[in-house]
């Protein structure tokens, strides 16, 4: 019975990840590409997705009750993420659009319950397996859907010819492919024999699909994450090399950024890109101007881009309609103000420290997974977002909550091992020659 329940829980977790990724909505089949008129007929899958979402929330709540003791101690060890969720919930008190905020808060609460369940129920290694399976299915669905419906899977709007699979936008697919590429590399390092070949092939497929999506930001995520992984590994195995490597890295990045600053426009035009990052920088400046009007607590969760918020002023300023600033930190400042940004920044910093400790004390290569994800998460939120709610928040929450317990347990095991080793040495040295 326990085995069947464990299997059902595992299947539920994988399905929940697929659901929140939005790939099961098959939006590319029902809505036009970017730059083209959207379909006037709403997707028949949307009501099903909505009902299923709340079913996932209900199941997550029930499972949390079943594991309430573990859940309690998991949250107590690291309460900051849930304090941030609480602030988001309280934003209904000052929101400029109460109904929109309530809807966003309800979704955030539901997905936070699921993320907390993952942290309480599974180890970091177990979460890695679940996420790997979900990402594997996303890659396979992308290939299968595009092969059967190339007219939908290949963009025919502004980004004509780019692979988008079942997603509405190629950047959405690009994010999941970049995360898959990084995660599959971890699986390659942790596997042997046929299993290693399996993950190697999947990693190559993910990279090819990523190239076909033409998502520059996703490619940058993979490159910078693998570069950071090399840095993390050096730090782990020889802490003495940390300072010189860190300084060399800063010097190299400083040189690159200095060069780009003087040649940025010429470089991006040569690459066929927009110097304003597809209009993102214009959006950022316009949103920041509005943040100054409500800097402390923001406009309320999800309310900034509603019709009752300052969205219309932003749209007039930038000349087109958008539903986000394409920067997770700016969006958070707009919704929850400096209070929300400060809470998340502190949470992220403490989680990163724990992830570094975990990578140093654990002997398995998979211990680098939290560091890899935090790097992906940080880079992705520079040009996309949002931070709260959805796929990226679930993984961040589960990793952040799990690390505190994982580090404490590993330290106890190491301490016990050292005590036993020291005791053996004491006994052996007390015996005369």
């Amino acid at each position: 019975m326990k085995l069947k329940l464990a299997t059902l829980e595992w299947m539920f977790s994988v399905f929940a990840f697929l659901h929140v990724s939005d790939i099961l909505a098959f939006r590319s089949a029902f809505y036009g590409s970017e730059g083209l008129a959207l379909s006037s007929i709403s997707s028949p899958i949307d009501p099903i997705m909505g009902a299923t979402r709340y079913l996932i929330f209900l199941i997550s709540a029930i499972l949390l009750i079943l594991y309430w003791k573990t859940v309690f101690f998991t949250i107590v060890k690291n309460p900051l993420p849930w304090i941030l969720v609480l602030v988001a919930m309280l934003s209904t008190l000052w929101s400029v659009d109460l109904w929109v905020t309530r809807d966003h808060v309800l979704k955030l609460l539901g997905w936070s319950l699921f993320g907390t369940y993952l942290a309480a129920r599974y180890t970091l290694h177990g979460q890695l397996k679940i996420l790997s399976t979900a990402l594997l299915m996303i890659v396979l669905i992308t290939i299968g859907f595009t092969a059967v419906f190339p007219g939908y899977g290949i963009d025919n709007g502004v980004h004509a010819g780019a692979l988008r699979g079942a997603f509405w936008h190629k950047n959405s697919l690009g994010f999941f492919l970049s995360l898959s590429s990084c995660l599959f590399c971890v699986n390659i390092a942790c596997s042997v024999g046929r299993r290693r070949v399996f993950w190697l092939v999947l990693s190559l497929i993910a990279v090819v699909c990523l190239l076909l999506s033409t998502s520059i930001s996703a490619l940058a995520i993979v490159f910078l994450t693998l570069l950071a992984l090399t840095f993390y590994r050096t730090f782990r195995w020889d802490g003495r090399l940390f300072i010189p490597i860190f300084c060399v890295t800063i010097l190299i990045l400083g040189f690159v950024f200095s060069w780009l600053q003087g040649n940025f426009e010429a470089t991006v035009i040569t690459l066929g890109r927009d110097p304003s990052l597809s209009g993102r920088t214009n959006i950022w400046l316009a949103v920041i101007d509005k943040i100054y009007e409500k800097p402390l607590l923001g406009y309320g969760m999800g309310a900034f881009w509603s019709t009752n918020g300052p969205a219309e002023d932003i749209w007039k300023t930038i000349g087109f309609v958008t539903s986000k600033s394409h920067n997770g930190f700016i969006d958070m400042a707009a919704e929850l103000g400096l209070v929300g940004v400060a809470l998340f920044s502190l949470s992220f910093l403490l989680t990163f420290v724990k992830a570094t400790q975990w990578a140093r004390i654990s002997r398995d290569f998979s211990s680098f997974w939290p560091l890899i994800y935090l790097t992906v998460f940080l880079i992705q939120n520079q040009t996309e977002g949002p931070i709260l709610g959805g796929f990226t928040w679930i993984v961040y929450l589960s990793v952040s909550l799990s690390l505190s317990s994982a580090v404490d347990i590993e330290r106890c095991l190491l301490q016990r091992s050292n005590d036993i080793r020291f005791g053996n040495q004491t006994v052996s040295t007390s015996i005369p020659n």
Side-chain angles (χ1 to χ4, degrees):
M1 181 65 183
K2 289 184 178 180
L3 180 61
K4 290 183 178 180
L5 180 60
T7 303
L8 289 175
E9 287 185 67
W10 187 87
M11 294 173 62
F12 162 73
S13 300
V14 172
F15 174 77
F17 268 126
L18 289 175
H19 184 284
V20 73
S21 72
D22 211 35
I23 193 171
L24 299 180
F26 297 99
R27 300 203 178 279
S28 62
F30 299 100
Y31 299 96
S33 301
E34 182 180 5
L36 301 178
L38 296 181
S39 172
S40 59
I41 303 176
S42 60
S43 168
I45 300 180
D46 285 348
I48 301 175
M49 292 290 289
T52 307
R53 180 191 305 119
Y54 290 107
L55 179 60
I56 292 174
F57 295 168
L58 177 61
I59 295 174
S60 299
I62 294 173
L63 290 172
L64 285 176
I65 294 174
L66 292 178
Y67 302 108
W68 69 270
K69 288 185 179 179
T70 307
V71 171
F72 175 78
F73 288 111
T74 298
I75 295 177
V76 166
K77 281 182 175 292
N78 185 9
L80 273 176
W82 268 98
I83 292 177
L84 182 58
V85 173
L86 179 60
V87 170
M89 295 172 65
L90 290 175
S91 70
T92 54
L93 300 177
W94 62 81
S95 173
V96 297
D97 195 324
L98 179 60
W99 294 107
V100 170
T101 297
R102 283 181 177 178
D103 182 60
H104 278 74
V105 164
L106 183 58
K107 292 177 182 177
L108 172 63
L109 178 61
W111 290 125
S112 297
L113 291 176
F114 174 63
T116 304
Y117 157 72
L118 288 175
R121 180 67 177 86
Y122 298 98
T123 62
L124 285 166
H125 188 66
Q127 296 171 31
L128 182 65
K129 289 184 176 180
I130 292 173
L131 190 56
S132 296
T133 304
L135 291 173
L136 165 61
M137 296 183 70
I138 288 175
V139 172
L140 295 179
I141 291 173
T142 296
I143 296 173
F145 180 83
T146 305
V148 177
F149 305 105
Y152 298 132
I154 304 297
D155 203 306
N156 53 12
V158 174
H159 309 287
L163 177 67
R164 62 171 180 165
F167 294 98
W168 177 72
H169 200 280
K170 68 182 183 70
N171 284 345
S172 298
L173 173 62
F175 165 72
F176 288 109
L177 291 175
S178 64
L179 184 58
S180 299
S181 301
C182 297
L183 184 53
F184 293 168
C185 285
V186 175
N187 290 332
I188 292 171
C190 297
S191 305
V192 294
R194 294 181 178 178
R195 185 176 291 272
R196 172 173 288 185
V197 174
F198 173 77
W199 288 114
L200 177 60
V201 171
L202 282 175
S203 181
L204 292 174
I205 292 174
V207 170
V208 171
C209 291
L210 180 57
L211 293 172
L212 293 175
S213 73
T214 69
S215 177
I216 299 299
S217 57
L219 285 171
I221 287 176
V222 174
F223 174 76
L224 293 175
T225 301
L226 295 180
L227 182 65
L229 176 59
T230 303
F231 179 76
Y232 296 149
R233 290 192 67 185
T234 304
F235 175 49
R236 172 188 176 183
W237 295 121
D238 193 345
R240 295 169 299 179
L241 295 177
F242 175 78
I243 294 178
I245 291 180
F246 180 80
C247 293
V248 170
T249 302
I250 293 299
L251 287 174
I252 293 175
L253 291 178
F255 171 79
V256 172
F257 285 128
S258 297
W259 185 85
L260 286 176
Q261 185 176 4
N263 303 273
F264 182 65
E265 185 170 354
T267 301
V268 294
I269 290 176
T270 301
L271 294 174
R273 294 284 161 179
D274 179 6
S276 67
L277 298 179
S278 300
R280 287 184 176 89
T281 54
N282 297 331
I283 303 174
W284 297 344
L285 294 174
V287 174
I288 289 173
D289 285 340
K290 290 297 180 180
I291 291 174
Y292 285 138
E293 298 178 9
K294 290 180 175 290
L296 191 60
L297 297 175
Y299 292 81
M301 182 73 183
F304 184 87
W305 295 104
S306 71
T307 53
N308 292 329
E312 290 189 5
D313 294 337
I314 303 294
W315 298 336
K316 291 177 182 178
T317 301
I318 62 179
F320 58 90
V321 176
T322 181
S323 60
K324 58 182 180 180
S325 70
H326 293 279
N327 183 292
F329 297 94
I330 293 178
D331 275 330
M332 176 172 284
E335 295 182 349
L336 301 180
L338 297 180
V339 172
V341 173
L343 281 172
F344 175 77
S345 299
L346 180 59
S347 171
F348 186 89
L349 179 61
L350 294 177
T351 301
F352 191 88
V353 170
K354 287 288 185 181
T356 304
Q357 294 173 345
W358 175 244
R360 295 198 68 184
I361 64 179
S362 180
R363 299 181 182 276
D364 196 321
F365 189 86
S366 63
S367 63
F368 283 107
W369 156 239
L371 278 173
I372 290 174
Y373 180 72
L374 291 176
T375 304
V376 171
F377 183 82
L378 185 63
I379 298 172
Q380 192 261 348
N381 274 286
Q382 301 304 311
T383 55
E384 293 298 334
I387 291 176
L388 290 178
F391 191 98
T392 55
W393 171 251
I394 291 172
V395 182
Y396 172 79
L397 183 62
S398 62
V399 168
S400 181
L401 293 178
S402 299
L403 276 170
S404 298
S405 299
V407 171
D408 290 344
I409 292 173
E410 191 68 22
R411 279 178 173 172
C412 289
L413 293 175
L414 287 175
Q415 183 63 42
R416 182 177 300 177
S417 177
N418 291 334
D419 290 343
I420 294 175
R421 187 180 299 109
F422 179 78
N424 290 338
Q425 289 176 352
T426 303
V427 173
S428 61
T429 54
S430 63
I431 300 176
N433 294 328

